[in-house]
Structure formats: C-alpha cells, structure tokens
Amino acid sequence: MTKKINIFKNKSPYTRSVYNKTKYILREYGYKVTNNFEKDALLNLVIGGDGTFLNAVNQTNFSQIPFIGINTGHLGFYQEISPDNIEDFIKTFSKNEYQIEDLSILQGSIGNKSINCLNEIVVKSKKNQLVRLRVFIDGNFIENFSGDGLIVCTAHGSTAYNLSCNGSILHQSLQGYQLTPIAPVFSSLNKALRSSIILPNEATIDIVASKRDSHHIAYIFDGRNYFSNNNKITITVSNKKIKKLILNKNHYWTNIKNKLL
C-alpha cells in the first residue's frame, strides 16, 4: 500500500525550500507526497505558519486525517516541527511514536447557513464602527454590549486574537470555550461584562445585533469574512473535531514560554 502524505504550504520562498527538503526526505522513507487533498492519506502536513494551518483545516473540510505542521511562519503556535528537525519527525512518525489530540471546532449558524472554524468567531463592524449587541447564553439574556465587537474562541484559539483582547489562556485539552469583549464601552445603558466568560462545551451563545447596526455587521470565521442581512448568530461547539499529532507532551508549555512570554 502506498503511504501518502498530503502537504499544504504557503507561497513564501522559504516555505518552498523547506517543502523541497521535506519532499525529498519523505520519499527517502518510502512516502508519496501529494499536493492535493487525498482522503486515503496518512497525514495532513502543513508547511507555513498558523494562518496556513487554519487554511489547510478549512480546505479539507475539517478532515479526520491527523494534522501536524512545520513552522516557516512567525509565531507558529500550531506548528510543532522546526525545519531543522524534519528527518527526526519522519523517523518518529514512521515508528508511531506520537500522540493524537482532538481539537474542538466552533459552529456559527446565521439563518440557514452554518460555518465551522478552529480558532474563533468574531462579530464586529465591517466599517470599524461601534456595534451594539445583545448576548444570550442558553437562552438567558446576559448583557447589552457596546464596543468594537465580541470574540468567541476555542481553548486552542485562546492564544490568538482572544489573548490580544485580554482574554484568558485555556489549555487546549480543556472542554470549554470563551466569550471575550473587544474594547467594550461602559455606560448606564450598556452594562457589559468587563472580562471574558468561560463556558462549557454544552452552552449555546446567541448574539443579536441592534437594527441600527445590522447592515454593517461582519461575522469572521478564522479570518474569513461572512456578511449577511440576518442580525443574529448562534454559536455552539460542533460535534466535529480535528486530530492533531503531538510529538512532545510538553510542546504546549514550550510554546507558551518561548512564543508568548
């Protein structure tokens, strides 16, 4: 049986050189490299940064083939492999010396349209204006929010946009997700929460834009914009998950220490 590995990459010259090196080593170890997504592959290997990783997950429609990344980007929080350690990784993979971790996925429903994402859903103005949003959790009215917008993120997405807006870091193994305000405005009319809320996976969030703001609301899924005349989004944790290869059980804390501090 042919051992296929799907490779996804960005267009940078550095990534191209790392891709050529990776392809050569994989072939030396008996693997076939595919540049198009093939459903019978053993692995989805992403060469680039976190944006490339998110794009690959989306392009494969949240494939159940495990993902792992070689970091040729900047932060590379999802990318565990250094370009200097490619052959070591291939040896480890060939010996099945790894763990697989399930990463949760968010689902946003707007009217009849449902969209999945790995990191976060952002509700904000496409014109960079203040927005007024009503927030409900499990059907309970929570707040009248006024400000730049709201972020709803997974645990593994908590170290991205969420963190820059003073949200909490959630370990990616935790079964929960987070609602975080972006530059909230406080007044007697808009009694918004000043901090993020940590929610269980079973919770449902409804965000309803005011009529005066509904025409300029953008729903952003892992950086991809979606516009709708509908002024309500319902957000849940999807039943889907993706699988990520973990080579080093301490990789998460190494990332926190080396890339975020």
Side-chain angles (χ1 to χ4, degrees):
M1 185 180 75
T2 303
K3 300 183 293 183
K4 296 180 184 176
I5 292 184
N6 297 325
I7 293 188
F8 303 86
K9 61 185 185 301
N10 61 29
K11 297 180 180 179
S12 80
Y14 180 48
T15 294
R16 191 180 307 118
S17 68
V18 172
Y19 163 74
N20 289 332
K21 174 183 175 181
T22 304
K23 181 171 63 173
Y24 175 80
I25 299 174
L26 283 170
R27 288 174 175 171
E28 287 289 302
Y29 280 80
Y31 294 97
K32 177 184 177 182
V33 171
T34 65
N35 293 316
N36 297 311
F37 175 64
E38 297 194 19
K39 294 182 179 180
D40 59 344
L42 301 174
L43 183 67
N44 292 317
L45 179 59
V46 184
I47 306 175
D50 289 331
T52 311
F53 190 93
L54 293 174
N55 286 337
V57 170
N58 182 63
Q59 288 169 24
T60 64
N61 193 27
F62 302 85
S63 163
Q64 290 305 290
I65 299 170
F67 290 84
I68 196 167
I70 300 172
N71 186 28
T72 61
H74 298 289
L75 187 62
F77 206 84
Y78 281 113
Q79 312 291 78
E80 184 173 348
I81 306 163
S82 163
D84 296 328
N85 296 325
I86 294 170
E87 187 164 7
D88 289 341
F89 153 66
I90 296 170
K91 289 178 181 178
T92 299
F93 179 70
S94 298
K95 295 175 183 177
N96 296 320
E97 294 177 350
Y98 55 80
Q99 297 175 319
I100 291 181
E101 190 166 69
D102 290 333
L103 300 185
S104 58
I105 294 167
L106 290 178
Q107 177 176 285
S109 299
I110 307 166
N112 295 323
K113 180 76 171 180
S114 291
I115 303 173
N116 291 328
C117 66
L118 186 62
N119 258 10
E120 78 264 315
I121 299 171
V122 180
V123 182
K124 65 190 304 186
S125 171
K126 63 185 177 183
K127 296 182 178 180
N128 292 322
Q129 295 178 0
L130 179 143
V131 292
R132 286 151 285 257
L133 307 168
R134 301 187 76 206
V135 179
F136 300 81
I137 297 177
D138 291 336
N140 300 292
F141 173 70
I142 301 299
E143 65 174 346
N144 279 316
F145 174 85
S146 181
D148 283 2
L150 293 168
I151 301 168
V152 180
C153 71
T154 57
H156 39 278
S158 66
T159 53
Y161 191 13
N162 169 77
L163 183 59
S164 69
C165 293
N166 296 317
S168 299
I169 295 176
L170 301 183
H171 192 279
Q172 59 190 24
S173 66
L174 292 176
Q175 300 299 304
Y177 66 121
Q178 185 170 179
L179 171 67
T180 300
I182 309 172
V185 174
F186 303 108
S187 70
S188 59
L189 296 176
N190 300 293
K191 296 182 179 179
L193 292 167
R194 295 173 181 263
S195 65
S196 58
I197 306 174
I198 312 300
L199 301 166
N201 273 359
E202 298 75 24
T204 298
I205 300 174
D206 291 305
I207 300 173
V208 183
S210 67
K211 290 183 179 180
R212 65 192 293 188
D213 296 321
S214 59
H215 69 284
H216 64 93
I217 286 292
Y219 304 101
I220 306 169
F221 298 82
D222 286 346
R224 294 172 285 121
N225 290 328
Y226 179 78
F227 304 113
S228 172
N229 291 327
N230 198 307
N231 69 334
K232 176 182 176 182
I233 182 170
T234 298
I235 301 171
T236 57
V237 174
S238 172
N239 291 326
K240 284 186 177 182
K241 294 180 183 291
I242 69 158
K243 300 181 183 300
K244 185 177 182 296
L245 252 62
I246 305 294
L247 305 177
N248 179 353
K249 65 179 182 179
N250 295 316
H251 175 66
Y252 184 84
W253 298 116
T254 301
N255 263 346
I256 296 291
K257 182 180 70 173
N258 293 340
K259 297 181 178 181
L260 296 181
L261 297 181

